[in-house]
């Protein structure tokens, strides 16, 4: 994907970012709340190093993550964040909604998904309308590295950017080559296993620490500590669960260009399954539905190569759901999903033309 030499929106975004950092009170903790995939982890660890090098000692920095099956904009996560009594909060790669996670706290949101409102009093930096759309890792790196402060962490941003299918950015590409692409690819798979596993509440914090503390991608792949050993266990679990899920055959809608792959797994492998079937069924919207990830819920991922906006597609069929579902139809135009009750998932399938 061709990338301009610079994004025209970047200088204004960098100014807003610097203003955010300058307005964080001189005392108290700063919470970095980031997603658990490599894009969120890449953004979070880059910001951690930037702050640690710009007047915020490590003792002031706290990493936090959304519990399994949840989202950032809930009372549960608000309580988790506010328990630290923070003076500053950064929310990375978790979406943007009209909900203040920590009212009264100096807050930054960096993201690339479709925004859904804006928390009052917050600094919101979204790349959703930039072209090409930067991942949260790339955007965070550009914000933090305007004067070269975190150039040595470009390889971690490269992992996050490539792992979320971000645009080709020369500086990150060069950093990845210097690390050797073999190690970048293996580190990406290892780190992503944390959120994809059946136990992300244990895995994601380990992945954050591992990525934050490693000096190279090779160290992540070949190192030996408790966090890396856990990640290798989780990676093996994900591979086993994905292998089982791949045995499910697709069903096809009577009325829509939708293919459904339904299965039960304790691991979050539905996004991987949807992505792999998308390549095999390029003329369909692929829906991979997992009934075993969360009790009483169906977690699903939608992917497509069609000229269809999946957010709009799910919004249209979401009108048939019985009541609001907090996790439904957020994210990217071509990659989204949700978690709904069994009853609502059956309503969704009926609306989409499945018998």
């Amino acid at each position: 994907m061709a990338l301009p030499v610079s994004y025209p929106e970047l200088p204004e975004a960098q100014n807003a970012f610097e203003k955010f950092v300058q307005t964080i009170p001189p005392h108290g903790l700063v919470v970095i709340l980031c997603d658990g995939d490599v894009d969120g982890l890449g953004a979070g660890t880059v910001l951690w190093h930037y702050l640690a090098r710009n007047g915020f000692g490590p003792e002031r920095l706290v990493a936090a993550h959304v519990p399994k099956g949840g989202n950032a904009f809930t009372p549960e996560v608000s309580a988790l964040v506010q328990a630290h009594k923070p003076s500053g909060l950064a929310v990375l790669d978790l979406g943007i909604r009209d909900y203040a996670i920590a009212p009264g706290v100096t807050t930054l949101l960096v993201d690339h998904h479709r925004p859904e409102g804006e928390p009052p009093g917050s600094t919101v930096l979204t790349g959703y309308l930039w072209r090409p759309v930067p991942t949260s890792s790339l955007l965070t790196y550009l914000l933090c590295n305007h004067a070269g402060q975190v150039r040595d962490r470009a390889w971690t941003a490269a992992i996050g950017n490539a792992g979320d299918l971000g645009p080709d950015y020369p500086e990150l590409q060069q950093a990845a080559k210097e690390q050797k692409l073999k190690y970048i690819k293996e580190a990406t798979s290892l780190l992503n296993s944390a959120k994809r596993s059946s136990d992300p509440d244990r895995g994601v914090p380990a992945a954050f620490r591992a990525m934050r503390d490693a000096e190279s991608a090779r160290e992540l792949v070949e190192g030996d500590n408790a966090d890396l050993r856990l990640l290798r266990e989780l990676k093996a679990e994900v591979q086993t669960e994905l292998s089982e899920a791949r045995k499910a055959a697709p069903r096809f809608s009577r009325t829509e260009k939708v293919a459904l792959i339904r299965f039960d797994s304790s691991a979050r492998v539905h996004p991987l399954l949807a992505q792999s079937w998308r390549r095999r069924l390029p003329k369909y919207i692929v829906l991979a539905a997992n009934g075993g990830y969360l009790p009483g819920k169906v977690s699903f991922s939608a992917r497509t190569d069609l000229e269809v906006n999946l957010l709009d597609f799910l919004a249209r069929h979401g009108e048939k759901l019985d009541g609001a579902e907090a996790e439904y139809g957020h994210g990217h135009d071509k990659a989204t999903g949700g978690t709904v009750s069994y009853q609502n998932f059956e309503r969704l399938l009926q609306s989409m033309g499945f018998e």
Side-chain angles (χ1 to χ4, degrees):
M1 185 182 299
L3 190 72
V5 174
S6 62
Y7 286 106
E9 302 93 343
L10 183 58
E12 183 178 351
Q14 287 173 331
N15 289 336
F17 172 72
E18 291 173 9
K19 183 177 179 181
F20 159 76
V21 174
Q22 292 165 3
T23 54
I24 298 174
H27 304 289
L29 298 176
V30 179
V31 174
I32 298 174
L33 178 68
C34 63
D35 195 17
D37 64 8
V38 288
D39 192 24
L41 296 171
T45 56
V46 164
L47 181 60
W48 177 290
H49 283 281
Y50 173 86
L51 292 175
R53 298 171 186 182
N54 286 273
F56 297 83
E59 70 280 356
R60 287 194 63 191
L61 301 177
V62 175
H65 310 284
V66 175
K68 178 179 180 178
N71 72 73
F73 305 97
T74 61
E76 180 183 13
V77 173
S78 289
L80 184 154
V81 169
Q82 293 182 75
H84 295 289
K85 299 180 179 178
S87 59
L89 170 65
V91 183
L92 309 175
D93 197 41
L94 287 166
I96 299 171
R97 304 186 196 178
D98 183 14
Y99 180 95
I101 296 172
V105 174
T106 303
T107 300
L108 167 74
L109 296 96
V110 178
D111 198 71
H112 63 131
H113 306 92
R114 180 191 281 185
E116 302 174 39
E118 187 170 307
S122 300
T123 299
V124 174
L125 300 177
T126 172
Y128 179 71
L129 295 178
W130 298 20
R131 292 295 177 267
V133 179
T135 58
S136 296
S137 285
L138 174 55
L139 181 51
T140 302
Y141 179 78
L142 294 174
L143 295 172
C144 292
N145 198 55
H146 63 284
Q149 300 98 318
V150 290
R151 186 164 290 125
D152 61 317
R153 306 305 296 182
W155 65 272
T156 58
I159 287 176
N161 188 58
D164 212 21
L165 304 178
D168 296 333
Y169 189 77
E171 191 172 341
L172 299 192
Q173 286 181 300
Q174 181 59 34
K177 289 178 182 177
E178 290 171 358
Q179 293 284 319
K180 294 190 178 179
L181 296 179
K182 168 182 181 291
Y183 294 121
I184 291 288
K185 183 177 180 180
E186 291 182 16
T188 300
S189 177
L190 182 68
L191 293 165
N192 264 337
S193 67
K195 184 176 178 179
R196 292 170 177 168
S197 74
S198 62
D199 193 3
D201 293 342
R202 229 175 20 123
V204 170
F208 184 92
R209 292 189 298 265
M211 195 178 203
R212 179 195 65 192
D213 298 341
E215 296 297 329
S216 67
R218 181 172 183 174
E219 184 179 331
L220 285 171
V221 173
E222 298 182 349
D224 184 26
N225 59 46
D227 287 334
L228 292 174
R229 288 193 293 272
L230 172 61
L231 292 178
R232 290 180 190 120
E233 291 176 13
L234 298 180
K235 181 179 178 180
E237 177 203 40
V238 170
Q239 290 174 331
T240 298
E241 292 294 316
L242 182 59
S243 179
E244 281 297 308
R246 282 181 171 148
K247 296 176 182 178
R251 294 168 49 204
F252 297 91
S253 164
R254 293 177 291 101
T255 59
E256 302 262 18
K257 299 292 288 185
V258 180
L260 171 69
I261 299 96
R262 196 162 186 178
F263 64 100
D264 294 327
S265 173
S266 60
R268 190 177 180 272
V269 294
H270 36 286
L272 292 173
L273 198 65
Q275 185 70 6
S276 65
W277 274 101
R278 175 189 65 81
R279 291 189 286 268
R280 298 170 66 181
L281 297 171
K283 297 182 179 181
Y284 289 85
I285 294 170
V286 174
L287 213 64
N290 183 355
Y293 185 62
L294 293 171
K297 301 279 189 177
V298 176
S299 300
F300 69 93
S301 292
R303 301 288 188 272
T304 192
D305 280 340
L306 295 175
E307 291 302 315
V308 175
N309 186 305
L310 292 179
L311 298 177
D312 295 338
F313 174 80
L314 287 184
R316 173 163 59 89
H317 288 288
E319 295 174 359
K320 303 297 176 63
L321 302 184
D322 183 16
E325 293 277 9
E327 279 303 293
Y328 179 82
H330 307 295
H332 301 278
D333 295 350
K334 298 290 185 181
T336 182
T339 297
V340 299
S341 68
Y342 277 107
Q343 294 84 353
N344 267 340
F345 190 70
E346 292 305 320
R347 293 185 180 95
L348 193 64
L349 292 185
Q350 288 178 0
S351 177
M352 291 182 182
F354 288 93
E355 295 179 346

